[in-house]
Amino acid sequence: MLKRFFFFVVVLMTFGVATAESPKPNVVLILADDLGWSDTTLYGTTKFFRTPNIEKLAARGMTFSRAYSASPICSPTRGSIMTGLAPARLGITVPACHLPEVVLKAFPGVHAAPDQPVIQPLTATRLDSRYTTLAEVLKKAGYATGHFGKWHLGSEPYSPLEQGFDVDIPHHPGPGPAGSYVAPWKFRNFDPDPDTPNQHIEDRMAEEATRWMEQHKDEPFFLNYWMFSVHAPFDAKKELIEKYKKQVDPNDPQKSPTYAAMVESMDDAVGTLLETIDRLGIADRTIIVFASDNGGNMYDEVDGTSPTSNFPLRGGKGTMFEGGTRIPCVVVWPKVVAAASRSDQLVQTTDFMPTLLDMLGVKTEIPFDGISVVPALKGKNLQRESLFTFFPHDAPQVPDWLPPAVSVTDAEWKLIRIFHGGNDGNHRCLLFNLRNDPGEKTDLAAAEPDRVREMDAKIERFLQETGAVVPIPNPAFKPELYDMSKIGVPVKRNPKESKKGPPAAGWTPLHDCSLKKEKDSLVVESVGGDPALVYYLPKPLPAGKYSVEATLSATSKGQAQFFWNEKGIAPQFFRDRSVLLHVVHDGRQHDYRAEFESKHELPAVRFDPSTATGTIRIASLRLKDAEGKIVQQWNYSNK
C-alpha cells in the first residue's frame, strides 16, 4: 500500500507524446455526472439509450470494462480525479461541498440514534488547497487550463480558479445545473444565448468549450469538461422526450423517456467536442478520457419509474455494490493506444492524474493513492494489488443500500466491510466473486473465512495509511432495535405522505412527513427517506448574514439541514443553499445554531430534520440578523 501511495511520476517523454520537435499533447477530460455503467452502448447492456458519439470515441481508443469511481457519490470522486488521492485521505466522503460551512478535513461524529451501531464521521466540505491538483501541475508545465461545467468541490477560495484553472464556466458551486437543463436556467452571471430559445445547457457548454479550444489550438491545453448531465433535475428537450416515448418497452428496466433524452444530449456534447478536435486538426495530439463520477441513479423518480437501471450489476449511486461504483470509461491516446481496443484491467478514478502525467512525461514528486495505468493502455497487465472504496455513511432511501462500509477488490474477489455491523460490535463482511457473480447475489464470506481475513487485513492497512476517519461504535446502541434483515431493502415512501399535506402552524410538508401542532411543539412525524417542510415568509428578508437557532428533540436519525431560498431562484433548488445542524437523535431536547449568508432577498426557508423514520418535536426556531436581532421566530413552547 505504501509503495502505491509513494508512486512518483518521473518518466521521460515516450512514443506518442511530446519531443523537442513536436508540441505537447493536449488533454481533454470528460466527466459525466451519474452516468451508469449500463447507460451507454459500450457494454451491450442497454437497448433503450443511444450513445453513438461515445461509440465513436471508443473506436479511437480503449474501453475499460472494469473501471471504478473512487466513491458511489460525486464530490469524493471528483476530489480523487483532481488529486490522485483517495476520498478517505482527502476527508470528502459525501457531496456537501456546496454548503456554506467550510470544513477542510473529516472529523469523528459525536452522536447517533439508539438503533444505529455506529456514529458516522463528519465530512470535509471543500477540497483543501494544500493538495496539488492536476490543473496546477499542468499549468506549471505550460498548459492552458480551462474548467467547464460542474465542480462541486467548493466555492471561492476553493473554486477552479483557485485550484489551477485559468477559466471556469459557468463558475457554479452547486451540485447540479441551476434551475433546469433547458433555458431559461438560473445560473448567476451566465445567461442563455438570446438568439437561441430553449437552449440546452450541455449544448451551450460544448459551444463554450469549443471556443476555448479554438483560442488555444496552437498551444498545449487541458480541457476539463465536467458535464452537468445526467444528474437531477430531470428535464430535457421536448422533441427528444417525445422521440423516446414512442420507443418505451414496459418490460425493459430502462424506460424513462426523459432520462433517455438527457443521455442523448450528453452524447451530443461529446460529439461536438470530437468534431471540434477534428476540425482544428489536433486529433493526433489530443489525449481524451471519458468517464462518470459514480453509478447510475436508481432512487429518484421520473416518468413514473427510476431514471435508469444498472442491470446486470447490483445497486446504483449511493451503494457499495458494483452498480454504485462501476463506470463507463474510454481513453484515447493517439499513436499509442490501439483503436477499438478493450481492457478488463482494474482502474479507478484515483488513477487518472498519475496516468495522465505519465502519458505526458510530466515530472512531479507528488505522492498518489492511484497508479499509472499506462501498461494497461499498451495492452499489458497492471501490477496493482487492490482497489478500495470508502463510504462511511448510509443512505436508506437508496435501493440495495448498506450501512457505513468500506470495500476492497482483488481481481475477481470483492469484500465489503460493514463497520461494526455484526455480532457483539464486530465488523460484518460480505464476500463476492465478481467473475461468477457480477450481480453480487451470493455472499461467500462464511465459505471463505481465510480469504475474508486476508482481504479485511488489506482494508485495515488502507484505512491506517490514508488516515481515514472511520465510523465508531455507538455507546447508546440498543441491539434489539437493529434489524439486519432490512439492510439492502430501501425505505418505502408513503405516497400519501410524499405529497404536500395539510400545513401546520404555517409550515407545509413537502414530502415524507406529516405535521401536527401540539401545545408545546410543532411535531414532525417522519416516514423516512427525505422528510422536509417549508415556510414562506410573509415578507422577504433582505440579503445579508443570518443565524438559525433551533430547540428540538428527535428520535429519528441522520443529518439535519436548514435551507433558504433566494429571490429569483426556483423553490425546488433549496438544496443549493443550506447549513448543517448536527442534531442529536436521542429523544431529548437540545439547542442548535448555524450561520449562513443569503446573497439575495430571502422569501422562504425549508427544514429537513432527519433522513429516517421517527418523531421530531420543534419547540422553537429563530432567525437572527448579523447584529443578533430576531427577524423571524417560530416559538411553539410558549403558545
Side-chain angles (χ1 to χ4, degrees), residues 150-466:
K150 176 175 172 175
W151 176 244
H152 210 195
L153 289 172
S155 55
E156 298 89 346
Y158 305 96
S159 80
L161 298 179
E162 293 84 34
Q163 301 275 20
F165 289 99
D166 300 324
V167 299
D168 174 30
I169 298 174
H171 197 56
H172 177 60
S180 64
Y181 282 93
V182 180
W185 51 66
K186 300 293 184 179
F187 292 100
R188 297 175 183 176
N189 305 316
F190 186 71
D191 297 324
D193 290 333
D195 57 347
T196 309
N198 302 317
Q199 185 177 37
H200 193 284
I201 185 60
E202 225 60 80
D203 291 344
R204 173 65 180 280
M205 294 308 306
E207 291 175 6
E208 295 284 348
T210 289
R211 282 192 283 268
W212 187 81
M213 284 192 286
E214 290 171 342
Q215 295 168 6
H216 298 282
K217 63 183 177 63
D218 296 324
E219 60 180 317
F221 63 75
F222 169 36
L223 170 62
N224 202 48
Y225 188 95
W226 284 8
M227 299 178 165
F228 291 106
S229 301
V230 287
H231 191 284
F234 299 102
D235 72 317
K237 297 176 181 178
K238 291 183 179 179
E239 63 272 20
L240 291 182
I241 296 175
E242 292 303 315
K243 165 187 168 181
Y244 283 101
K245 280 182 178 179
K246 300 174 183 177
Q247 301 175 18
V248 170
D249 178 354
N251 297 316
D252 189 335
Q254 291 177 325
K255 51 178 174 284
S256 166
T258 300
Y259 190 79
M262 294 173 71
V263 170
E264 180 164 330
S265 289
M266 178 274 304
D267 184 73
D268 286 344
V270 173
T272 299
L273 297 184
L274 285 178
E275 290 168 6
T276 300
I277 291 169
D278 291 344
R279 176 172 54 82
L280 295 177
I282 57 175
D284 62 346
R285 55 183 175 90
T286 299
I287 294 167
I288 306 174
V289 177
F290 174 85
S292 178
D293 60 354
N294 48 246
N297 181 340
M298 292 177 61
Y299 63 85
D300 273 325
E301 182 177 322
V302 58
D303 300 327
T305 184
S306 62
T308 189
S309 167
N310 297 296
F311 184 82
L313 306 180
R314 181 177 180 181
K317 176 182 178 179
T319 80
M320 291 291 285
F321 293 112
E322 291 289 285
T325 58
R326 196 185 294 199
I327 56 174
C329 181
V330 177
V331 178
V332 175
W333 188 7
K335 302 179 184 178
V336 178
V337 171
S341 57
R342 301 182 78 89
S343 174
D344 62 357
Q345 296 293 293
L346 288 175
V347 300
Q348 194 176 43
T349 52
T350 49
D351 301 331
F352 288 1
M353 181 172 177
T355 298
L356 285 168
L357 296 184
D358 194 356
M359 294 163 77
L360 298 173
V362 174
K363 297 180 180 181
T364 181
E365 294 187 351
I366 301 169
F368 300 113
D369 289 313
I371 66 168
S372 170
V373 301
V374 163
L377 292 169
K378 294 182 178 180
K380 301 177 182 178
N381 292 329
L382 291 176
Q383 300 300 312
R384 84 177 314 147
E385 186 177 349
S386 308
L387 286 184
F388 297 91
T389 305
F390 179 62
F391 188 48
H393 309 280
D394 63 1
Q397 72 272 27
V398 175
D400 291 302
W401 71 278
L402 286 173
V406 59
S407 72
V408 58
T409 301
D410 291 344
E412 72 268 28
W413 290 96
K414 176 178 176 181
L415 181 80
I416 301 175
R417 175 204 280 188
I418 300 175
F419 288 102
H420 307 287
N423 296 325
D424 300 322
N426 295 316
H427 302 312
R428 179 186 178 190
C429 290
L430 309 176
L431 180 68
F432 302 100
N433 186 297
L434 299 177
R435 177 179 297 171
N436 302 326
D437 180 25
E440 296 169 286
K441 298 177 182 178
T442 304
D443 176 16
L444 300 174
E448 298 271 358
D450 292 340
R451 190 181 302 277
V452 169
R453 282 191 292 269
E454 177 186 348
M455 296 181 72
D456 193 53
K458 291 182 179 181
I459 285 178
E460 191 60 36
R461 289 196 297 271
F462 167 78
L463 296 174
Q464 292 293 328
E465 291 165 8
T466 57

Side-chain angles (χ1 to χ4, degrees), residues 108-122 390-395 401-406 417-422 424-428 469-479 482 487 556-558 583 585:
V110 180
H111 300 284
D115 65 342
Q116 296 303 297
V118 299
I119 300 173
Q120 301 177 32
L122 303 176
F390 179 62
F391 188 48
H393 309 280
D394 63 1
W401 71 278
L402 286 173
V406 59
R417 175 204 280 188
I418 300 175
F419 288 102
H420 307 287
D424 300 322
N426 295 316
H427 302 312
R428 179 186 178 190
V469 180
V470 299
I472 56 177
N474 177 14
F477 175 52
K478 296 181 179 180
Y482 184 61
I487 292 175
S556 54
K557 66 171 184 174
V583 170
H585 300 276

Side-chain angles (χ1 to χ4, degrees), residues 52-96:
N53 291 302
I54 294 175
E55 288 184 32
K56 291 178 183 177
L57 185 67
R60 302 185 183 198
M62 178 173 285
T63 299
F64 286 91
S65 60
R66 296 192 67 195
Y68 292 87
S69 58
S71 169
I73 46 179
C74 66
S75 292
T77 296
R78 292 163 187 271
S80 77
I81 293 172
M82 277 290 97
T83 64
L85 300 177
R89 192 183 299 277
L90 295 173
I92 301 175
T93 52
V94 296

